[in-house]
Amino acid sequence: MQGPGLALYLRKIAGTIAQVNREKAVEFVEFELKELENIFSLLILGGFVGLPSPPAPIAMELFPLMERELKIMLSRSDFAQDPLASLMGLLQVD
Amino acid sequence: MVSNAFFLGKGGVGKTTVSAAFALSLARKGKKVLIASLDPAHNLGDVLDAKLSDKPRRVEEGLDALEVDLGSWVDRYLKESKEELKSTYSYNLALNLDSFFDIMKYSPGTEEYAVLWAIEHIRCELAAGYDIVVFDTPPTALSLRFLAMPAISTRWVAELTKLRERILTRRQTITRINPSSPVASSCTDKDSDAVYGKLGSIKGRLAGLQSLFSQESYVAVVVNQDILSISEARRIADELDRIDIPLRAICVNKRGLSDAPWTLDPRLKSSKSFEFDFLRGGLSSRDDLTALDNSGLVADFMAEASKGTA
């Protein structure tokens, strides 16, 4: 393999490496994002399980807008079992 | 500009009497005055010799009065929130909303917020029709909590806003690098994110209330010539300092009721003080309020009020 063929091949390898790195970077940021969204939900709803939280009326104003965050928090509860399961139990979410 | 007056103090010191006499004096000087009782145990109507409700009622020329019904404000707020939640989470009735909201009614902070909503309503919907709004407040504990609520809540909202900004930044990053990510379908900028927008509107409302308390209000503490009410006034002064609300005046009510030697606590001497004699004949009609000589207090308030307009 010589000339333009080799250059094309090397460019393809470099492109693949860059793409893999980008996807890995995004995976990490996505994980961080989910954790941040989970923390945001916990801060809003924490008052129900004894965590420091903003005054309940502020939580109530934000609650209807947090569908995505609540879903993430529910899925996160699979990892953190007991504390969040208790929270959901308190909210009577089956 | 100062256009509101709050009278705080220990239960029984005469907040309602002093605030009603103050409002009456201003009205008889030609001002348009609204006096609002925030005390759940209302007796403003008794003092003004008029039957009051949660809507302004004309007591006499230039003076309207109302008694805020905190229970109805809590119910109204919870009803609105319930409707909003039902429309968003209608598919998930497992939340058992009814029992949830029954609990919310007794949640810490709800009563303080009901007072704030009532004050906000008076400020936004009613105050434009008056020169001055006078607030007769509940006993100290609840008053200090609702006065502190905007400052405390603002700190929470600021932290939540910072966290939300981090979330939006991460979402933007992911969307930029990988447009096919599921995150790309969610809100990525401040303008389209409803939660960020709601935090901004809460922040604006809290800032309005904080400005009302700290810059647009003449806050006075009513005391009697006794240790208990003075001790409580000192605690009120400390708490007001902490939340940046200036204490403008000390109203020493029921002067002459006791012969015991008495001096004003040094902590309170930094505010102007005004003394009112004990009304030995009691209060049997609205005109009896005029026996309380509050000309000094009214003049001081008018001087503060005119500063902003000068």
Side-chain angles (χ1 to χ4, degrees):
Chain A
M1 196 185 293
Q2 284 181 345
L6 180 63
L8 197 67
Y9 180 68
L10 290 174
R11 206 177 296 133
K12 213 171 176 180
I13 289 174
T16 306
I17 290 169
Q19 181 63 29
V20 168
N21 282 336
R22 270 202 297 271
E23 283 187 7
K24 275 202 175 296
V26 170
E27 266 176 30
F28 186 77
V29 179
E30 275 181 349
F31 183 82
E32 189 192 358
L33 173 66
K34 279 186 179 168
E35 285 304 318
L36 285 172
E37 288 175 321
N38 187 31
I39 289 167
F40 191 83
S41 306
L42 280 175
L43 281 176
I44 301 297
L45 297 172
F48 297 103
V49 287
L51 291 172
S53 67
I58 288 186
M60 289 310 302
E61 288 201 35
L62 295 171
F63 194 36
L65 309 169
M66 291 174 51
E67 192 176 359
R68 175 185 153 82
E69 288 79 3
L70 290 174
K71 279 180 183 166
I72 288 169
M73 191 174 75
L74 282 169
S75 71
R76 275 292 184 265
S77 68
D78 292 340
F79 297 103
Q81 293 172 5
D82 283 345
L84 294 178
S86 302
L87 171 66
M88 290 301 109
L90 193 71
L91 292 176
Q92 300 180 16
V93 179
D94 295 322
Chain B
M1 181 190 139
V2 172
S3 57
N4 304 278
F6 284 84
F7 289 89
L8 310 175
K10 191 178 182 315
V13 292
K15 294 186 293 295
T16 306
T17 307
V18 171
S19 55
F22 177 75
L24 192 66
S25 296
L26 287 167
R28 290 185 177 180
K29 279 181 180 295
K31 298 288 178 189
K32 282 197 281 182
V33 183
L34 172 67
I35 180 166
S37 167
L38 303 172
D39 192 344
H42 297 296
N43 56 10
L44 181 64
D46 302 331
V47 172
L48 289 175
D49 199 15
K51 191 169 167 50
L52 303 179
S53 70
D54 61 351
K55 297 204 167 37
R57 188 190 161 208
R58 177 56 51 98
V59 176
E60 66 171 53
E61 183 64 31
L63 179 62
D64 288 0
L66 65 87
E67 290 177 339
V68 169
D69 181 357
L70 292 184
S72 79
W73 276 99
V74 172
D75 290 343
R76 186 171 145 182
Y77 169 73
L78 291 182
K79 193 176 168 215
E80 282 171 13
S81 299
K82 195 169 172 176
E83 293 307 314
E84 203 172 352
L85 274 174
K86 269 186 174 174
S87 65
T88 311
Y89 300 111
S90 55
Y91 60 88
N92 196 351
L93 294 173
L95 274 174
N96 195 1
L97 289 170
D98 287 342
S99 61
F100 181 67
F101 276 90
D102 285 345
I103 296 167
M104 284 300 301
K105 199 169 183 174
Y106 305 104
S107 168
T110 302
E111 193 179 20
E112 291 86 331
Y113 259 86
V115 179
L116 289 183
W117 296 318
I119 293 173
E120 190 179 46
H121 170 74
I122 290 169
R123 183 189 200 217
C124 299
E125 308 290 331
L126 304 175
Y130 301 93
D131 300 318
I132 296 148
V133 181
V134 179
F135 292 94
D136 172 29
T137 65
T140 309
L142 178 57
S143 294
L144 287 182
R145 287 204 306 273
F146 83 71
L147 286 170
M149 196 56 91
I152 294 167
S153 301
T154 298
R155 284 179 205 157
W156 264 105
V157 170
E159 290 306 314
L160 289 172
T161 304
K162 266 194 251 172
L163 181 55
R164 198 69 196 172
E165 281 169 358
R166 283 182 66 183
I167 288 171
L168 292 174
T169 308
R170 298 297 181 283
R171 284 186 187 172
Q172 282 167 8
T173 306
I174 293 165
T175 306
R176 203 167 49 241
I177 296 171
N178 185 12
S180 60
S181 164
V183 174
S185 62
S186 56
C187 299
T188 57
D189 62 87
K190 292 175 186 175
D191 292 336
S192 59
D193 184 48
V195 174
Y196 190 85
K198 178 62 89 176
L199 283 169
S201 90
I202 294 172
K203 190 179 164 189
R205 288 168 59 194
L206 291 171
L209 285 165
Q210 182 64 24
S211 160
L212 184 142
F213 294 149
S214 61
Q215 289 162 33
E216 300 164 30
S217 295
Y218 185 94
V219 178
V221 174
V222 182
V223 297
N224 293 156
Q225 294 177 327
D226 62 55
I227 288 174
L228 288 180
S229 69
I230 294 291
S231 301
E232 193 152 315
R234 209 171 46 224
R235 284 195 290 275
I236 293 172
D238 291 342
E239 182 63 17
L240 291 178
D241 265 357
R242 204 176 62 78
I243 52 178
D244 294 329
I245 297 176
L247 174 57
R248 314 259 186 177
I250 304 292
C251 300
V252 183
N253 192 29
K254 302 183 189 175
R255 185 176 60 178
L257 182 63
S258 162
D259 294 331
W262 178 87
T263 53
L264 192 61
D265 189 280
R267 168 72 181 85
L268 303 173
K269 281 184 176 162
S270 55
S271 305
K272 290 172 192 164
S273 75
F274 303 94
E275 299 191 2
F276 311 114
D277 288 336
F278 176 60
L279 299 177
R280 297 204 177 274
L283 284 172
S284 52
S285 73
R286 187 163 58 247
D287 283 334
D288 291 342
L289 287 169
T290 56
L292 212 67
D293 179 14
N294 56 12
S295 51
L297 177 69
V298 170
D300 190 54
F301 173 84
M302 295 305 289
E304 291 289 337
S306 63
K307 276 182 190 169
T309 53

